[in-house]
């Protein structure tokens, strides 16, 4: 197959303005000017014009005092969860917070006692990996098992990892960095184990809307009322609609005691969220379906292009993500005797996330963000390929 086939045009990606020179993008400004940044998880893509229109109107209002979400926004989130994920929620279950990461730290802060621990699955998004130590409690890590075609949950290992003090399980679904979208039977089994061991489930579902092929997202709390009662679901429009810098996320907490705990955990830290974030979230969920459909099509074609190209990289193995715009690459076979993210940064001028930050046993991995223009992706892969070729040439000498 021609490796360049299946290129989709999307002006939001293809005409994305220069983020390094014209904005304060962390992704583009963290590294030197000659580096292509395929690391931190936001997209090089203009957001939905409907969101921009709503933001312009809000800016023209001219007053930016502390915010309080309008009742319409609570209802819009309820409608979003019901229409997309068949989960019927109540407006009073929703709490806004300035970020999903803040949200899971907030609930752990409120409820953790000395001797408690947090169960997580690895490889894990670094703030999930660090959530327990931030709160000075311990962390039980259970690795996802990896076959040639899938990351899967080893349910026996999962249950064995629960210790007497384990109080919380942080689920990340869709999973960052593997891109797994867990199925209903998998979620039902996890839920049953959490119920048996009386764990509070903190479910990070920030990537829920970016799904490929026929994968479906199921909020774990939607499995049963019993599970909903012990679950804090965290999500946002931020990742999906590329508005993460506006710092507006939400928690859905059916149980009133957990809701109070969430408020207590936020005391002195989170009062109101960014008013522009509230406006953007409302516009995204009201009007953003068409933009999102086009965005997913572009991301999927980038994903497929990436995986066709990877066939030519001897020594890199990866499993196609089912959702997210992240690819998790095992570089063990490259035999470069060096941390692969450092290798690619130095020799290819491509910034990828270091696998070791997702769990210490993943130092031979990198995470690649393909939420960029096809041109950027092509250039990054060309640079990575020639860096490896040069390395092999030099090592032969
Ligand atoms: C799984 C996951 N959770 C949370 C976040 C960050 O969320 P927020 O910016 O709302 O704190 C990210 C960002 O990459 C993520 O991948």
């Amino acid at each position: 197959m021609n490796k360049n086939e299946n290129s989709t045009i999307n002006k939001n990606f293809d005409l994305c303005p220069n983020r390094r020179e014209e904005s304060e993008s962390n992704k583009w400004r963290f590294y030197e000017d000659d580096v292509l940044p395929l690391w931190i998880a936001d997209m090089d893509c203009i957001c939905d014009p409907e969101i921009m229109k709503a933001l312009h109107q809000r800016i023209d209002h001219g007053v930016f005092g502390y915010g309080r979400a309008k009742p319409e926004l609570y209802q819009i989130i309820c409608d979003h969860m019901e229409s997309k994920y068949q989960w019927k929620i109540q407006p009073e279950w929703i709490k806004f917070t300035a970020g999903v990461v803040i949200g899971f730290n907030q609930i752990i802060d409120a409820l953790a006692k000395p001797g408690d621990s947090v169960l997580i699955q690895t490889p894990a998004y670094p703030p999930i990996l660090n959530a327990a130590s931030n709160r000075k409690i311990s962390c039980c890590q259970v690795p996802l098992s990896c076959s040639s075609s899938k990351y899967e949950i080893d349910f026996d290992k999962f249950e064995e990892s629960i210790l007497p003090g384990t109080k919380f399980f942080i689920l990340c679904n869709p999973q960052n960095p593997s891109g797994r979208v867990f199925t209903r039977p998998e979620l039902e089994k996890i839920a049953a184990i959490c119920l048996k061991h009386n764990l509070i489930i903190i479910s990070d579902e920030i990537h829920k809307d970016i799904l490929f092929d026929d994968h479906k997202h199921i909020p774990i709390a939607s499995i049963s009322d019993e599970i909903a009662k012990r679950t804090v679901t965290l999500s946002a429009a931020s990742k999906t609609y590329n508005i993460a810098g506006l710092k507006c996320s939400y928690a859905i907490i059916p149980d009133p005691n957990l809701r109070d705990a969430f408020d207590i955990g936020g005391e002195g830290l989170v009062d109101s969220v960014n008013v522009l974030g509230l406006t953007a979230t409302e516009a995204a969920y009201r009007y953003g379906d068409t933009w999102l459909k086009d965005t997913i099509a572009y991301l999927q074609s980038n994903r497929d292009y990436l995986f066709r190209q990877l066939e030519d990289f001897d020594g890199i193995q990866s499993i196609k993500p089912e959702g997210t715009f992240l690819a998790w690459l095992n570089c063990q076979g490259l035999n470069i005797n060096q941390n692969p993210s450092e290798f690619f940064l130095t020799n290819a001028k491509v910034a990828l996330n270091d696998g070791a930050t997702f769990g210490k046993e993943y130092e031979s991995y990198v995470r690649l963000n393909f939420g960029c223009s096809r041109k950027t992706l092509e250039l990054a892969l060309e640079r990575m390929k020639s860096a490896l070729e040069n390395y092999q040439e030099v090592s032969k000498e």
Side-chain angles (χ1 to χ4, degrees):
M1 191 198 305
N2 173 353
K3 290 209 162 68
N4 291 316
E5 249 176 54
N6 192 22
S7 174
T8 306
I9 292 172
N10 179 318
K11 65 179 176 25
N12 296 321
F13 283 93
D14 297 329
L15 303 180
C16 182
N18 185 321
R19 298 187 68 192
R20 181 173 270 136
E21 284 166 23
E22 296 166 21
S23 81
E24 56 298 278
S25 158
N26 187 20
K27 184 184 189 184
W28 281 86
R29 294 179 73 93
F30 187 84
Y31 292 101
E32 299 292 316
D33 286 0
D34 54 353
V35 170
L36 281 177
L38 273 63
W39 63 297
I40 197 168
D42 67 27
M43 298 187 273
D44 299 334
C45 157
I46 304 170
C47 80
D48 189 341
E50 292 290 348
I51 297 179
M52 283 193 280
K53 194 164 113 195
L55 286 173
H56 281 300
Q57 278 170 5
R58 180 64 187 85
I59 298 273
D60 288 343
H61 179 260
V63 185
F64 305 102
Y66 296 116
R68 180 177 199 85
K70 295 182 200 155
E72 296 93 287
L73 181 54
Y74 287 88
Q75 193 53 51
I76 284 167
I77 294 173
C78 293
D79 296 345
H80 167 79
M81 293 309 299
E82 187 170 5
S83 64
K84 307 269 184 224
Y85 306 109
Q86 295 72 55
W87 185 26
K88 204 166 167 35
I89 62 167
Q90 303 300 322
E92 62 271 21
W93 297 355
I94 299 169
K95 297 273 176 193
F96 286 91
T97 185
V100 162
V101 171
I102 293 176
F104 56 70
N105 282 292
Q106 198 173 330
I107 189 71
I108 295 173
D109 237 9
L111 296 174
K113 303 224 163 41
D116 287 346
S117 64
V118 180
L119 176 65
I120 62 165
Q121 293 168 306
T122 59
Y125 170 58
I128 292 181
L129 192 69
N130 300 328
S133 63
N134 285 346
R135 274 42 253 170
K136 312 249 176 323
I137 57 173
S138 54
C139 181
C140 317
Q141 299 181 18
V142 56
L144 290 170
S145 60
C146 175
S147 69
S148 58
S149 61
K150 216 171 191 164
Y151 284 91
E152 279 172 308
I153 302 166
D154 178 331
F155 293 98
D156 292 334
K157 267 200 198 146
F158 182 86
E159 188 162 10
E160 282 159 19
S161 306
I162 299 172
L163 303 174
T166 307
K167 185 178 219 161
F168 309 94
F169 166 52
I170 308 183
L171 172 68
C172 183
N173 181 36
Q175 213 265 349
N176 172 1
S178 70
R180 255 322 300 284
V181 176
F182 295 116
T183 60
R184 182 177 292 279
E186 286 174 308
L187 293 168
E188 282 172 351
K189 279 195 197 165
I190 293 183
I193 297 171
C194 291
L195 198 59
K196 180 171 158 198
H197 294 273
N198 196 25
L199 304 189
I200 295 167
I201 303 171
I202 302 171
S203 189
D204 176 340
E205 303 186 10
I206 197 168
H207 291 281
K208 70 185 183 333
D209 311 306
I210 297 186
L211 306 174
F212 304 125
D213 309 312
D214 53 358
H215 294 285
K216 300 245 173 316
H217 175 73
I218 296 161
I220 193 165
S222 69
I223 284 192
S224 71
D225 289 347
E226 236 179 346
I227 294 303
K229 263 192 232 145
R230 60 178 57 249
T231 301
V232 172
T233 302
L234 293 156
S235 196
S238 61
K239 199 78 28 190
T240 313
Y241 289 93
N242 211 27
I243 49 175
L246 296 178
K247 302 308 269 181
C248 176
S249 304
Y250 53 85
I252 304 171
I253 315 176
D255 180 72
N257 295 325
L258 280 180
R259 264 197 319 267
D260 288 348
F262 191 80
D263 284 341
I264 291 166
E267 265 171 22
L269 297 171
V270 194
D271 55 352
S272 55
V273 302
N274 185 320
V275 287
L276 297 180
L278 293 170
T279 301
T281 302
E282 179 175 338
Y285 286 167
R286 260 191 209 282
Y287 310 116
D289 279 356
T290 308
W291 180 94
L292 180 57
K293 197 163 152 266
D294 295 344
T295 300
I296 291 174
Y298 193 86
L299 292 173
Q300 181 157 331
S301 92
N302 268 3
R303 177 199 68 164
D304 293 345
Y305 170 79
L306 168 66
F307 276 76
R308 288 196 300 276
Q309 295 298 319
L310 285 177
E311 289 167 16
D312 290 346
F313 281 72
D314 253 357
I316 298 188
Q317 292 191 323
S318 188
I319 299 169
K320 264 191 187 181
E322 299 167 343
T324 79
F325 42 84
L326 308 167
W328 183 234
L329 313 182
N330 182 353
C331 301
Q332 190 152 30
L334 290 177
N335 295 320
I336 46 178
N337 282 333
Q338 198 185 341
N339 174 298
S341 68
E342 280 168 20
F343 174 87
F344 287 119
L345 183 60
T346 311
N347 300 293
K349 301 286 177 197
V350 173
L352 306 167
N353 288 85
D354 178 358
T357 61
F358 295 76
K360 61 178 177 340
E361 60 276 45
Y362 302 101
E363 58 196 6
S364 65
Y365 286 73
V366 290
R367 192 191 71 177
L368 182 152
N369 173 351
F370 56 86
C372 57
S373 72
R374 175 64 65 85
K375 220 167 117 201
T376 301
L377 184 59
E378 281 172 5
L379 188 56
L381 292 169
E382 270 165 32
R383 287 191 189 181
M384 288 165 67
K385 195 143 200 286
S386 58
L388 287 167
E389 282 163 3
N390 289 343
Y391 178 82
Q392 274 144 16
E393 280 303 307
V394 172
S395 352
K396 266 194 230 147
E397 284 165 11

